[in-house]
Every structure is written in C-alpha cells, then in structure tokens.
C-alpha cells in the first residue's frame, strides 16, 4: 500500500450513528472546500453499553474502511466511546505501521481542553456513555489539559440519552424525566461547566441546560475538534488548495438508510441529501 496521502482525498468521519453529525457540521462549516465521507454505524449502535473490546474492533473496521475504500486523508473519530476504547494515538500508530501516515483526530482531548478553559470555579462535570465514563479517559484528558491546576471533575454516565436521539426524540417529558435522574450527581456537585462527552448529547442541549441550570456552561467538543483537525491538516500541508470549491459530502449508514436520511437531514441540514449503505468489507 502506498504511504502517500492524497491531498484531495476526503476527511473520513465516523460515529456509532447520528451523534458524529454534530462534529461533521462543525467540519463542514470550518472547512467548506474539503470533501467528507461520514459513516454512522447505526447497524451496530449503541456502542455505549457494549464490551469495549467489541467497540475497539468496530472503530478499527470503520477507520480502515475510510482509508482503504474511500481514500480518506485524515480520520475524525467523532465518537467518545470509540475513542475511549481505541485511543486515537493507537489507531494512528496502527495505520502508520501499514505505511499510512495520516492524522487521526478524536473528540476527547479537544473537549477536555475546552472544558478546562470554560471553568472559573474549578469544579467541572462530564457526561457520556457507560463505556466512556467507565474508561476513565476523561479523568486523564482533564488532568492533561489542566496542566497541574486543581480541577475537580465529576462524571456521570447517562444511559438512554443516545437512544432518544437515535429515535429523533430530543425533547418532551420523558427526555426531561430521564435527564433529571441522570444529571442529579452533576446538579448536586455544583459544577460551573459541563462537557457533553458524547457526540449525541448536543442534540439534547436544551433539556440538559434546563435541568442543570442556565448558569452552567455547556461545552461541546464539535467545534474544538474541527479546529484541531484544521490545525493538524494545515501543519502537515494537507489542506486542499482551491478555496472557492464546494466540498462533496458523502454519508453512509450500516443500518436503515432511509431513516438515516430522514433524521440526518433534520439534524445536520441539507448537505445530507443522500445516504448510501455501508457494509463491513465493502
Ligand atoms: N456518539 C457516541 C459517543 O460519542 C456514542 C453513542 C453510542 O452509545 O453508540 O460516545
């Protein structure tokens, strides 16, 4: 396999489903002339309560498919659970061992950096899936980001949030009830900034904000991840040259493609005009 990346290749983005569209939106807005290929692994979602070894394998398959089948010049792991199970530096090293020296960007470190910047009191929260919170990845990322400054991190897993988003239910009494239950430890801890440590959660931001209070700053990793991607591509001279072209956006799902198109258009916007089926090994 060639070790030359193609500067005109797309940016590959993946998630277990619709959540990574929050990151795709930020990437499209920041880098409008770049092509993107997005895979939502809705056929195997949710990742949050699966064995991390299985999630690790899924993440590998998706990343390799984006590189081998779609010529991706960079990978964005737009899923906290996948990045917690297969840290981005490990995935980057695996690709490099096969001669593919391409950047792999995750959501965990950009999110943690943004969280640390947002706090004034030094008491912050993170919410995510069982897999992400259980991995301890955010404890490490926040301590890296705080550079020794005392930051107290309170974590809460929120099983059920992702399922509501995947069904297109982003508000209503049942969502609020679940949010009140799941966010109780966060409310109790009196945090002043809360990181949405699952890429699905920005779609529930209104409900989450109502429950934790308007004085708590909600931090989403989507924009920070897009900035980290741009900086990395710039640094490695991998950005496309023609600034006046409009990027091509390809979306794929391993599950129900018509549902992915219907809900995806609502969540991401008009760029999601077509959805193809993604099969393992296609
Ligand atoms: N969007 C994924 C994340 O950021 C998780 C979703 C899932 O449980 O499948 O963790």
């Amino acid at each position: 396999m060639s070790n030359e990346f193609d500067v005109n290749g797309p940016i590959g983005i993946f998630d277990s489903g619709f959540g990574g569209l929050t990151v795709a939106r930020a990437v499209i807005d920041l880098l409008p002339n770049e092509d993107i290929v997005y895979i939502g692994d809705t056929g195997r979602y949710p990742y949050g309560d699966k064995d991390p070894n299985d999630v690790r394998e899924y993440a590998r398959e998706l990343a390799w498919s984006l590189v081998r089948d779609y010529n991706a010049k960079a990978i964005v792991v737009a899923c906290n659970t996948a990045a917690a199970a297969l840290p981005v530096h490990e995935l980057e090293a695996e690709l490099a061992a096969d001669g593919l020296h391409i950047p792999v960007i995750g959501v965990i470190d950009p999110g943690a950096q943004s969280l640390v910047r947002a706090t004034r009191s030094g008491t912050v929260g993170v919410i995510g899936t069982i897999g992400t919170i259980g991995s301890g990845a955010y404890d490490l990322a926040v301590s890296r980001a705080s550079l020794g400054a005392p930051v107290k991190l309170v974590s809460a897993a929120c099983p059920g949030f992702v399922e509501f988003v995947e069904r297109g239910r982003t508000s209503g009494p049942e969502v609020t009830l679940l949010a009140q239950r799941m966010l109780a430890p966060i409310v109790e801890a009196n945090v002043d900034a809360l990181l949405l440590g699952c890429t699905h959660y920005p779609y529930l931001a209104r409900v989450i904000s109502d429950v934790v209070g308007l004085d708590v700053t909600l931090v989403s990793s989507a924009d920070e991840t897009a900035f980290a991607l741009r900086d990395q591509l710039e640094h490695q001279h991998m950005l496309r040259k023609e600034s006046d072209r409009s990027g091509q956006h390809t979306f794929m799902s391993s599950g129900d493609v018509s549902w992915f198109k219907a809900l995806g258009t609502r969540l991401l916007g008009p760029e999601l005009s077509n959805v193809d089926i993604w099969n393992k090994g296609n």
Side-chain angles (χ1 to χ4, degrees):
M1 178 170 276
S2 156
N3 64 357
E4 286 299 308
F5 64 82
D6 178 359
V7 80
N8 294 327
I11 294 160
I13 306 177
F14 72 85
D15 177 48
S16 64
F18 292 92
L21 295 179
T22 54
V23 180
R25 178 74 268 160
V27 171
I28 292 170
D29 292 342
L30 189 68
L31 301 170
N33 64 331
E34 296 285 342
D35 294 346
I36 68 161
V37 176
Y38 181 98
I39 307 174
D41 197 7
T42 44
R44 297 187 291 199
Y45 113 96
Y47 284 2
D49 54 5
K50 290 206 165 58
D51 181 333
N53 290 316
D54 292 338
V55 175
R56 215 178 143 82
E57 270 322 296
Y58 301 161
R60 259 198 199 107
E61 278 169 19
L62 293 160
W64 280 99
S65 171
L66 285 165
V67 176
R68 287 210 167 116
D69 307 329
Y70 300 95
N71 194 31
K73 66 175 174 183
I75 299 291
V76 178
V77 183
C79 176
N80 293 262
T81 316
L86 178 57
V88 290
H89 63 270
E90 283 184 35
L91 179 56
E92 197 170 68
E94 279 181 22
L95 292 164
D98 216 46
L100 291 156
H101 299 280
I102 66 167
V104 181
I105 311 292
V107 280
I108 293 180
D109 280 304
Q113 284 154 13
S114 191
L115 179 67
V116 168
R117 273 200 302 274
T119 186
R120 289 163 309 280
S121 70
T123 302
V124 297
V126 63
I127 52 175
T129 65
I130 291 172
T132 301
I133 299 302
S135 73
Y138 272 108
D139 301 282
L140 294 174
V142 166
S143 96
R144 271 196 297 275
S146 59
L147 302 169
V151 173
K152 182 179 174 218
L153 177 68
V154 181
S155 311
C158 297
F161 277 15
V162 167
E163 287 79 351
F164 271 126
V165 174
E166 291 280 325
R167 280 186 266 133
R169 300 271 305 280
T170 51
S171 62
E174 285 168 292
V175 185
T176 302
L177 203 65
L178 181 68
Q180 283 165 340
R181 272 181 40 220
M182 295 300 154
L183 298 171
I186 299 292
V187 173
E188 186 132 317
N190 216 8
V191 304
D192 73 344
L194 176 63
L195 177 60
L196 308 179
C198 170
T199 52
H200 282 71
Y201 296 179
Y203 295 124
L204 302 175
R206 186 62 183 270
V207 174
I208 293 169
S209 183
D210 283 347
V211 172
V212 297
L214 289 175
D215 49 337
V216 175
T217 305
L218 295 190
V219 179
S220 147
S221 48
D223 287 337
E224 294 305 318
T225 302
F227 288 131
L229 170 70
R230 189 214 32 210
D231 293 350
Q232 189 70 38
L233 292 179
E234 202 161 44
H235 178 70
Q236 294 187 228
H237 308 288
M238 292 172 80
L239 287 170
R240 287 186 79 119
K241 305 280 179 280
E242 332 86 296
S243 53
D244 55 345
R245 82 185 279 277
S246 298
Q248 309 280 308
H249 309 124
T250 303
F251 294 88
M252 285 175 287
S253 159
S254 59
D256 181 342
V257 288
S258 51
W259 175 239
F260 201 90
K261 181 163 149 40
L263 180 59
T265 312
R266 195 182 109 195
L267 297 177
L268 180 111
E271 290 88 348
L272 199 149
S273 54
N274 186 49
V275 180
D276 298 319
I277 183 84
W278 178 81
N279 287 313
K280 185 182 156 193
N282 66 348

